[in-house]
Amino acid sequence: MTAAATTTPMAIVSFSLLLLLLFGTSSAQLSTNFYSSSCPNVFSTVKSAVQSAVASEKRMGASLVRLFYHDCFVNGCDGSVLLDDTANFTGEKNAAPNKNSARGFGVIDNIKSQVEKVCPGVVSCADILAITARDSTVALGGPSWAVKVGRRDARTASLSGANNNIPPPTFSLSSLISSFQAQGLSAKDMVTLSGAHTFGQAQCTNFRARIYNETNIEASFATTRRANCPSTQGSGDNNLAPLDLQTPTTFDNRYYANLVSLKGLLHSDQQLFSNGSTDSQVRSYASGASSFASNFAAAMIKLGDLSPLTGSSGEIRKVCSKIN
């Protein structure tokens, strides 16, 4: 008789427990029906609020997706990006990638207050960010996906984590790949999630060096962008330009077509198409809108699985900007 045939039920259970210890259970504890009994109206409540916010300002959709991304890249998707600084606490809002840049906090606060009216003390701010990112994408014409929920909110934040983990617009392709791999995301995930730049805007200070100093940029595109971004540092730093020149408030694959045409606004954007290992994926997305949309939905689910707090960890904040 083989060893496999004599394996006892207890041995199987022990092996299963070992796997749980090795690989963790956090993401497995998330589910699409986590609030089916405790807060069945959470999804419709968030959707309505997001639709209203995006209708008032189309740019807000991109800002809310970005908030989710900036949250998940710092100690996982735990709502830490939403916490305000206090006399005894330093949050992430004043980190370089967020200060005078991250927006939508008021919208999240409003959504949280509406959800609290429906089911107080049940839904985390971290989950609200995840649902909001999906609904913002849909509101701007993008794909939908089943959002897994069950996250809890952090009682801490990491200013250094926000400064070090969120890749800046100056990064090279290799640095971008390494940054995403550090989060458990592949190079393919990185290229796909960068497609969130199909909507939104960037400040002049983040693309000035590219439009004045770089050579892998289409000439007329550089000229157009220079008109609203003076070469002198400190002049017009906060002036905005669309990340996707043609359709800055619509989810589509124009972002990738722009990269192929050397019209990426940020240095880090154009790095995805720069005679490197990701060129073929960019070309594929530039000619295949449906494959980009489906892959984007899958990558957002994967992003939302990053190190969530579950079970008895963390808390369910009453107000997203401060711990209970």
Side-chain angles (χ1 to χ4, degrees):
M1 188 175 288
T2 65
T6 59
T7 300
T8 65
M10 184 58 70
I12 294 173
V13 171
S14 298
F15 182 67
S16 298
L17 290 174
L18 177 61
L19 288 178
L20 291 177
L21 289 172
L22 287 174
F23 298 107
T25 61
S26 291
S27 62
Q29 292 177 18
L30 302 181
S31 68
T32 57
N33 61 357
F34 186 85
Y35 296 117
S36 59
S37 298
S38 59
C39 191
N41 294 324
V42 60
F43 288 104
S44 58
T45 301
V46 174
K47 180 179 180 181
S48 177
V50 170
Q51 288 177 333
S52 177
V54 174
S56 297
E57 183 192 2
K58 283 276 184 96
R59 182 189 170 202
M60 185 55 66
S63 298
L64 294 172
V65 172
R66 185 169 180 256
L67 266 189
F68 177 59
Y69 164 61
H70 281 212
D71 182 44
C72 292
F73 257 60
V74 183
N75 296 332
C77 308
D78 60 2
S80 60
V81 72
L82 304 173
L83 291 169
D84 285 338
D85 289 357
T86 69
N88 304 310
F89 179 86
T90 301
E92 299 165 14
K93 289 185 178 180
N94 285 313
N98 296 326
K99 188 174 183 180
N100 300 320
S101 174
R103 6 179 5 256
F105 297 108
V107 173
I108 297 298
D109 288 341
N110 175 58
I111 295 173
K112 174 63 171 175
S113 66
Q114 292 188 42
V115 171
E116 283 293 299
K117 291 176 183 177
V118 176
C119 33
V122 174
V123 180
S124 68
C125 298
D127 277 345
I128 286 175
L129 277 178
I131 301 168
T132 296
R134 188 272 308 273
D135 291 345
S136 295
T137 300
V138 173
L140 294 176
S144 184
W145 58 89
V147 178
K148 289 191 283 186
V149 288
R151 302 169 189 81
R152 289 168 65 84
D153 297 319
R155 295 190 181 97
T156 60
S158 176
L159 181 68
S160 62
N163 280 322
N164 295 320
N165 296 355
I166 300 170
T170 55
F171 260 17
S172 66
L173 177 61
S174 61
S175 295
L176 288 168
I177 292 173
S178 295
S179 178
F180 276 71
Q181 286 180 337
Q183 302 292 339
L185 298 167
S186 67
K188 180 180 179 180
D189 294 327
M190 183 273 292
V191 175
T192 304
L193 290 169
S194 294
H197 286 181
T198 179
F199 37 48
Q201 302 188 61
Q203 296 172 327
C204 166
T205 186
N206 288 322
F207 60 85
R208 176 183 284 120
R210 169 156 169 74
I211 63 175
Y212 285 101
N213 302 330
E214 297 185 10
T215 57
N216 63 336
I217 186 169
E218 200 272 332
S220 63
F221 173 72
T223 299
T224 299
R225 293 279 65 89
R226 288 171 184 171
N228 195 43
C229 183
S231 60
T232 305
Q233 187 172 356
S235 178
D237 282 0
N238 295 325
N239 291 351
L240 299 172
L243 290 160
D244 176 352
L245 180 64
Q246 294 86 359
T247 53
T249 58
T250 302
F251 185 100
D252 57 25
N253 64 335
R254 286 297 312 176
Y255 167 77
Y256 297 102
N258 289 336
L259 299 185
V260 173
S261 300
L262 302 184
K263 295 179 182 178
L265 182 64
L266 304 178
H267 173 81
S268 55
D269 286 331
Q270 197 59 58
Q271 285 292 292
L272 304 186
F273 191 82
S274 56
N275 296 313
S277 59
T278 58
D279 283 12
S280 60
Q281 188 181 348
V282 170
R283 286 191 185 277
S284 175
Y285 285 166
S287 60
S290 61
S291 65
F292 163 53
S294 60
N295 287 351
F296 184 82
M300 288 294 282
I301 293 172
K302 191 173 180 180
L303 176 65
D305 282 344
L306 296 183
S307 304
L309 297 174
T310 58
S312 60
S313 299
E315 64 182 16
I316 304 297
R317 283 187 225 136
K318 297 175 184 178
V319 177
C320 288
S321 59
K322 61 182 181 180
I323 60 176
N324 294 340

